[in-house]
Structure formats: structure tokens, C-alpha cells
Amino acid sequence: MIASFLPEFGGAIWTLLAFVVALSVIVAIHEYGHYIVGRWCGIKADVFSVGFGPVIWSKMDRHGTQWQLAALPLGGYVKFRGDADATSVVADVEMLSLSPEERAQTMTGAALWRRAATVAAGPAFNFILSILIFAGFVLVLGRAVDRPVVGELVALPPGIETLQPGDEILAIGDVPVDTIGDLANVAAEQPDGATLPYEIRRDGAEIAVEAAPPMPARAAQVQPRSAAWDVGIRGGDVIVAMDGVPVGSFQDLQAATRAADGAPMVVEVWRPDGAGGETLDFTVTPRSMALPLADGGFETRYLIGISGGLFFEPVTERAGPLEALSYGVSQTWFILTSSISALGHIVTGQISTCNLSGPIGIAETSGAAASQGFETFVWFIAGLSAAVGMLNLFPIPVLDGGHLVFHAYEAVRGRPPSDGAVRVLMTAGIAMMGALMVFALWNDIFC
């Protein structure tokens, strides 16, 4: 009993640790955005806290801010001078005794534009973190060249014919291949078979060879909390057969999954282990999932949660800072637009509410991303940071977006909302966020 419990317990600890690390990084960056822009605007901060509850470490800096770590690492806050609490909405009674100069250094007494900039800085820093991480990946790892040149080969079962590093693919069958992006489309047009005819350039000479389809039935990535992940299929596994039928390409895998129409499948997998590999069998039940489309809509299909890739890593080239920054912006923008689109489709009932995850789902995804390596975990943090920044801009009291609504009201009416109205709205906002949390937890448990 104890022996069987330990792996599960260890997995839970790993998941919780990964979740705490990811959340702490994102919250710290978010709150630092509030703090540093507030300081630039002349608004003084009394406390910068990572975590809540009893303080386990603190230090006062030369600006009069106490930096602290608290016992519950599930968030954080900045308490600006003159605030009654960490929400920075209601002023402390001591504000009445402050001079005009001192009031201007508080969150409630500073000029409207300074307060608005300080509030907006939290989500903005989340977006900046995402952009910089995505850009950093391109700067460090480079970007794939457009020419379809074979780089490092991935591990595949013995007997599968592939190309050699340095080969440039010119055509598959009679169809020319001009870019890396052409490979999957061209391969899908070829007849089924264990190999395909390639025309390649090798060592300066153009030759014809037979090799495996460019996208083998290999799990380049496995989506955390998917059907494949939950039964134990991992990145690098190669699907050999599904329900006893051999699978030669990723297109074959997709076709077999569609044909199953949600019914359980026996999936035979080859897993590299450094000694010729091992063969494993898994029973996988495809799940209905919503996929984003290029036009902004969604398509619901039965999937097992595996992403495919080429049988080689493309050759990369160094990217410049501007190119990397452009990639970081575009990747962050894609996350924001697809997330907003998904929420809209959930609200209108076009896709299942099960596509909305709560803290348990996010924690499980954190642990799964961390288990796949440092790069995958950092990539996950970048995506989650963008989502957190977007969520905080929703016009709900207690969120930054709600504060900005209060500031907009003040700009139009010439005075802020009354303390009574703010308290009522804040209570309503807390109730809304609590209801959303309960709904998301329900999805985590029962979907």
C-alpha cells in the first residue's frame, strides 16, 4: 500500500512545486510592473510581497519599501503608501493627516494618469515577459531555415529508412518541395506506403532515394492532460500500430483517430531507450477537443493529444534581435487572440465549457511541462504569463481591468466613485471571481 502510494505522492509534490514556481515567477513580474512604474510616477510602495500570510523573510530598501517572502506562495501584492489594504482602491484613514505633497505620493492621491499607468503596468509586464521569453528562444536556438535541409535525425524504430544530415529535399514524388512548410502538404498527396520517392541534393549531386514519409507517426509533443498523456505516452514515442493496423505516417495516425470516432484504441508504441528501444501497448480513448482555426473560429474533433513533427530537426540559422522580437510579439498576440476567441465560443456555447481549466488543471499542466524539460517549462510560463495578463485586464472589480474602469469613470465624471460604491462593486467582483473559480474547479474534477 505504501509502495504504490509513493509514486503518486511524488508526482503530486512535483506538480505542486512546478505550479508554485510558475505562479511565483508570473506574479512577481506582474507586481514588479505595478511597483516600478508606480515608483517612476512618484508613488511610494510600503510593501512588495511574494506570497501571503506570515512573513518568513523581509528587507527594507533605500526607497522605504519592505521586500518580503510570505509563507503561502500562491500570489503576491504591492501595498502602496496610503492604501487601506493591498487592493489600492480604498484609502487609509491616515491619508487625512498627510500634506498635499505626501498625498501626491500615494495611490489614491496621485494624478489620475499616474495611477492608471501604475495599474496597467502589471498586465503590461506579463506581456513583456512572454514576448522576451519567446524572443529569447529564437535568439538562443535560432530559427529554421526556409530551405528543406535535413539537420539532426530523431530516434525512430530500426528499419525505417531516412535521409542523411545535410541532404536538401528537392521533391517528393513528382511534386517540388520549396520550403520546410511544404513537406507535410506534399507528403499528404502521395500514395500510402512505408517509403516515398525523394529527389534530394547530397554533396552537390542530385539523386533519387526512397525514404520514410517526412512526418512519421511520432509524438513530437504530447499535450499535458490529454488522452495520450494520461495513459503514459510521451514525447519521442513512435506509434507503430493502432488496433493492430500498421501506422506509417502521422497522416495515418490522424486518419485512424478520426475513424475511431471516440472509441477506445489499442496503440502500439516504440519508445527509444538507448538499447534498441522497447515496444509498449496503451489503450487510448480519443477526447473531443476544440482546435483554433486560421479564421479565428474553432473546430471540434476527437483527438488523443499528440503533435507530429519531421523525422529530422531542420537546420537553423541565427536570428537578429528585431526578428526575434517580432516573433515574440506575434506568438504572444496569437495566445491572446486565440484565448479571447475561445472564451467567446465558450460563452456562446459553440465549444464545450470543458475547454476552461482551473487551478488544478493549470497545476497539472505545470507539472507535465516541467517533466518534459526546462525549455518546455519556460515556454509554458511564457504562455501562462500572457494569459494572466489578459485575465487581469477584464473589467471586473478586484482585477486591474476593474481599477482601470474606476479610473475611466473618474476621468469622465471628474471625481472617483464613492467609497461605498467601490466597496459594493469590489464585493460583487470577488463574488464573480469566486463563482468562476468554482466553475473552473468543477471542470478540473469532472470534465
Side-chain angles (χ1 to χ4, degrees):
M1 180 69 177
I2 294 177
S4 64
F5 170 75
L6 286 176
E8 182 177 348
F9 179 74
I13 293 296
W14 176 256
T15 294
L16 180 60
L17 178 62
F19 178 59
V20 168
V21 170
L23 186 64
S24 297
V25 169
I26 291 168
V27 169
I29 292 296
H30 179 97
E31 296 301 330
Y32 186 77
H34 289 314
Y35 162 78
I36 193 63
V37 172
R39 202 181 85 188
W40 292 340
C41 291
I43 302 173
K44 294 187 176 296
D46 290 332
V47 178
F48 186 108
S49 179
V50 177
F52 298 98
V55 176
I56 57 178
W57 175 88
S58 67
K59 180 180 181 181
M60 187 72 70
D61 70 9
R62 62 187 179 86
H63 300 288
T65 301
Q66 176 176 301
W67 296 76
Q68 65 184 39
L69 292 175
L72 300 176
L74 299 176
Y77 63 89
V78 176
K79 184 179 180 296
F80 289 101
R81 186 156 302 172
D83 293 343
D85 52 41
T87 63
S88 299
V89 174
V90 179
D92 192 278
V93 293
E94 294 183 359
M95 284 282 291
L96 300 175
S97 62
L98 299 180
S99 67
E101 292 78 12
E102 291 172 326
R103 285 179 60 86
Q105 296 176 344
T106 68
M107 192 59 173
T108 52
L112 178 59
W113 72 267
R114 297 177 188 272
R115 286 179 277 142
T118 300
V119 170
F125 269 53
N126 282 133
F127 300 146
I128 291 171
L129 174 64
S130 300
I131 291 169
L132 292 179
I133 289 177
F134 291 136
F137 271 93
V138 175
L139 278 176
V140 173
L141 303 178
R143 68 171 186 85
V145 299
D146 289 334
R147 293 167 49 235
V149 179
V150 177
E152 183 180 352
L153 298 174
V154 303
L156 293 174
I160 294 182
E161 296 292 335
T162 59
L163 303 179
Q164 297 179 11
D167 289 348
E168 180 179 358
I169 301 172
L170 304 177
I172 299 178
D174 297 326
V175 183
V177 174
D178 298 318
T179 68
I180 285 288
D182 291 339
L183 285 174
N185 295 331
V186 173
E189 299 172 0
Q190 303 301 310
D192 293 338
T195 61
L196 295 175
Y198 285 78
E199 182 182 343
I200 64 171
R201 181 179 291 114
R202 177 180 295 170
D203 297 329
E206 295 185 7
I207 61 175
V209 298
E210 292 280 331
M215 287 189 68
R218 176 179 178 270
Q221 290 184 330
V222 182
Q223 181 179 338
R225 304 184 73 227
S226 65
W229 179 271
D230 288 348
V231 300
I233 297 176
R234 294 294 181 261
D237 289 350
V238 179
I239 287 74
V240 178
M242 302 179 77
D243 283 335
V245 179
V247 173
S249 68
F250 196 76
Q251 287 82 359
D252 293 343
L253 184 153
Q254 291 175 313
T257 304
R258 284 193 298 268
D261 197 28
M265 301 180 298
V266 176
V267 179
E268 183 182 342
V269 163
W270 177 86
R271 176 171 293 174
D273 63 0
E278 60 177 333
T279 300
L280 306 169
D281 287 336
F282 300 94
T283 299
V284 185
T285 303
R287 297 174 185 169
S288 178
M289 300 179 66
L291 296 177
L293 301 175
D295 61 2
F298 281 81
E299 178 185 12
T300 300
R301 295 208 313 253
Y302 281 107
L303 303 171
I304 61 175
I306 289 177
S307 299
L310 301 171
F311 63 67
F312 62 89
E313 298 293 340
V315 172
T316 60
E317 63 183 8
R318 183 179 298 276
L322 291 180
E323 184 179 9
L325 185 62
S326 175
Y327 175 79
V329 170
S330 64
Q331 186 67 26
T332 302
W333 181 252
F334 171 76
I335 291 173
L336 297 178
T337 53
S338 59
S339 297
I340 292 172
S341 177
L343 287 173
H345 282 74
I346 289 173
V347 170
T348 57
Q350 298 180 56
I351 61 176
S352 170
T353 56
C354 288
N355 288 282
L356 180 66
S357 295
I360 295 176
I362 296 172
E364 290 179 349
T365 305
S366 301
S371 69
Q372 296 181 66
F374 179 75
E375 292 179 5
T376 302
F377 184 56
V378 173
W379 188 275
F380 166 76
I381 289 177
L384 184 60
S385 181
V388 168
M390 180 196 69
L391 175 64
N392 269 277
L393 286 177
F394 285 2
I396 300 174
V398 311
L399 297 181
D400 294 328
H403 289 229
L404 292 175
V405 170
F406 293 153
H407 294 329
Y409 174 91
E410 182 178 349
V412 173
R413 295 297 301 273
R415 64 178 186 275
S418 67
D419 287 351
V422 168
R423 292 184 190 279
V424 169
L425 291 171
M426 293 290 285
T427 301
I430 292 172
M432 291 175 61
M433 293 302 297
L436 180 61
M437 182 70 69
V438 170
F439 179 71
L441 281 170
W442 177 274
N443 283 352
D444 287 341
I445 296 170
F446 295 105
C447 281

